Amino acid sequence: MGVDLGVELAGLNLRTPLILASGILGLSGRLLVEISRIEDVGAVTTKSIGLKPRDGYPNPTIAVLPYGFINSMGLPNPGVDFFLKELDEAGSFGSPLIASFYGYSIEEIAETARIIASHPSVSALELNVSCPHVSGISEIGVKPELVAEAVSKVKKEVGKPLFVKLSPNTHLIVDVARAAAEAGADGLTAVNTVKAIAIDAELCKPILSGVYGGLSGPALKPIALRCVYEIYEEVEIPIIGCGGVSSYLDVVEFILAGASAVALGSVIALKGIMVFRELARGLSEYLERKGVRSVEEIVGLSHR
Ligand code: DHB
């Protein structure tokens, strides 16, 4: 491979622009360490962590469709104290660890951020205000003024880079993005899943125990790509593109739309963790074929 895939993202140095998305394989400290050490992994993101443990919803929590998944886990997590203890014993990370977190109020968001960011293994934070179906969370991420308040509170308490994961379940996504940037966010992740439902025609009822879930996978990609494209036009801070990436061409499209890095989720469930290698190879060959020396040269190129 002739092209250096390294990118700088809000002060983080990534070996490749490929990031493990939140919600995939991200609840065990040890597993995150293992994945962070894979050569083509640029950074890893935890499943969203809250101040207190949460059980999540009973099964069924996932519906598999021909074009993606609808999942409704209910934000299961062991709580911040337990998770940080696990990180103590997990070993050292081979690439930056982004800690995803949530809270039910501005105060709880700030407190959780302060505790998580105090751990030396955590390189950056990703605020999840966009889980599409857990009440108390999804409401925050569609209100620009609440997101701005949360971001400025967190930035007052925490010195590490802060990303905000945006919801596609609003026509205000660009306003939320701008509010987050103006309040001091270091980057944006676009996007979280689309609120969706699956119904069993035989049983005549919703399939998922939580009724609603988040749609991910190929069906989400054109929506996520449009969101990245729109946000790039209006906001200066870096964007992590996320939503339905399955091939290296999808990675390229997100970067051309304005993403500085790209997060992988559903594709890992389908192809396994070594998909990072396949996509890094494809991206590298694409850049070589185009005579481009770095990923940064093509960020947002489709706008010019
Ligand atoms: C869940 C959380 C998310 O942020 C999401 O996009 C989908 C599902 C969950 O834990 O249920």
Side-chain angles (χ1 to χ4, degrees):
M1 281 203 274
V3 181
D4 177 16
L5 293 184
V7 294
E8 193 268 339
L9 181 73
L12 306 177
N13 288 312
L14 274 53
R15 281 189 298 237
T16 76
L18 305 178
I19 299 176
L20 176 75
S22 180
I24 297 283
L25 304 173
L27 257 190
S28 136
R30 289 220 179 134
L31 191 53
L32 282 163
V33 164
E34 292 273 322
I35 297 167
S36 77
R37 292 178 182 171
I38 295 172
E39 203 184 324
D40 300 296
V41 171
V44 294
T45 315
T46 67
K47 172 77 180 163
S48 300
I49 309 289
L51 195 58
K52 300 269 151 58
R54 238 188 95 99
D55 285 342
Y57 301 144
N59 285 326
T61 51
I62 188 153
V64 180
L65 311 172
Y67 37 79
F69 300 119
I70 303 177
N71 90 86
S72 180
M73 303 294 166
L75 290 171
N77 77 94
V80 66
D81 292 336
F82 185 94
F83 185 69
L84 292 193
K85 275 200 203 103
E86 213 180 275
L87 279 188
D88 285 340
E89 289 155 20
S92 58
F93 281 78
S95 52
L97 171 66
I98 303 171
S100 170
F101 71 104
Y102 66 87
Y104 297 96
S105 66
I106 306 291
E107 287 66 34
E108 196 178 298
I109 285 172
E111 189 184 352
T112 311
R114 187 173 47 73
I115 300 170
I116 298 190
S118 70
H119 198 283
S121 291
V122 171
S123 297
L125 300 181
E126 182 179 87
L127 173 58
N128 181 1
V129 282
S130 46
C131 171
H133 49 74
V134 170
S135 64
I137 307 284
S138 29
E139 293 82 351
I140 299 177
V142 295
K143 297 199 181 83
E145 62 286 357
L146 283 185
V147 171
E149 207 183 325
V151 168
S152 49
K153 258 234 153 81
V154 171
K155 284 307 289 181
K156 269 197 201 105
E157 311 227 2
V158 172
K160 294 181 179 175
L162 173 67
F163 293 85
V164 178
K165 189 157 186 178
L166 300 171
S167 173
N169 301 302
T170 166
H171 62 284
L172 295 179
I173 187 161
V174 176
D175 302 75
V176 176
R178 199 184 297 110
E182 284 171 359
D186 301 279
L188 302 163
T189 306
V191 291
N192 210 319
T193 53
V194 166
K195 187 175 183 181
I197 197 166
I199 290 178
D200 187 310
E202 288 307 316
L203 300 176
C204 304
K205 61 198 260 296
I207 292 174
L208 301 168
S209 79
V211 180
Y212 300 104
L215 174 66
S216 64
L220 177 58
K221 198 204 86 179
I223 299 169
L225 198 61
R226 182 267 298 169
C227 292
V228 170
Y229 190 93
E230 284 185 338
I231 294 163
Y232 184 82
E233 298 254 303
E234 296 290 329
V235 181
E236 303 271 292
I237 57 175
I239 305 165
I240 300 172
C242 182
V245 167
S246 344
S247 69
Y248 84 86
L249 281 174
D250 294 336
V251 174
V252 170
E253 289 170 26
F254 271 99
I255 297 171
L256 294 173
S260 297
V262 175
L264 311 181
S266 299
V267 70
I268 296 169
L270 294 169
K271 290 189 171 179
I273 199 69
M274 291 320 286
V275 72
F276 277 93
R277 159 119 301 192
E278 176 197 323
L279 301 194
R281 282 228 171 105
L283 175 61
S284 184
E285 280 162 22
Y286 171 87
L287 295 175
E288 213 162 88
R289 179 158 60 77
K290 289 286 186 186
V292 173
R293 272 158 306 164
S294 76
V295 173
E296 272 137 11
E297 277 181 51
I298 65 159
V299 172
L301 192 63
S302 70
H303 295 260
R304 278 170 241 152

